[in-house]
Amino acid sequence: MCQRIAQGTRWNKCGHFQRQFVKAIVDCNSRQCMKSYAHPPSCRQPTCFQTFGPDIERDVDNVDEYCFPCRAAQARAEGRPLT
Ligand SMILES: [Zn+2]
Ligand SMILES: [Zn+2]
Ligand SMILES: [Zn+2]
């Protein structure tokens, strides 16, 4: 199935990826994939793929920190307000 190339930030301490935007879509050229240009528009097969595969992550910058959700979770766990 087709995949999106996502550009974003890599948070080095937790290894998470934060997507900024979708740069491109990789077409799988499958007639069984509704996201593909190869898929016939008239096809109504419920078995065809309707969703994208996992994003292809492209790091455009690296931050030597934890990402926001990780920091928020840590703050909650410690019972302190998020700074
Ligand atoms: Zn596809
Ligand atoms: Zn189809
Ligand atoms: Zn994280």
Side-chain angles (χ1 to χ4, degrees):
M1 61 184 93
C2 304
Q3 284 175 283
R4 290 173 292 200
I5 298 177
Q7 205 164 285
T9 304
R10 178 71 60 187
W11 298 86
N12 289 335
K13 285 194 178 173
C14 60
H16 286 138
F17 179 79
Q18 185 186 1
R19 189 170 76 193
Q20 291 166 356
F21 61 90
V22 174
K23 197 184 173 207
I25 290 170
V26 181
D27 201 299
C28 63
N29 294 312
S30 167
R31 292 172 61 83
Q32 274 87 53
C33 176
M34 290 191 188
K35 301 287 184 197
S36 174
Y37 287 115
H39 183 260
S42 56
C43 172
R44 293 286 177 267
Q45 290 289 329
T47 48
C48 290
F49 293 120
Q50 295 183 48
T51 53
F52 287 109
D55 286 356
I56 299 164
E57 299 173 348
R58 292 272 160 85
D59 303 359
V60 282
D61 56 345
N62 285 266
V63 183
D64 207 14
E65 251 307 341
Y66 292 99
C67 70
F68 295 111
C70 282
R71 269 185 277 167
Q74 285 165 8
R76 259 201 311 279
E78 292 167 17
R80 61 178 164 83
L82 185 62
T83 45

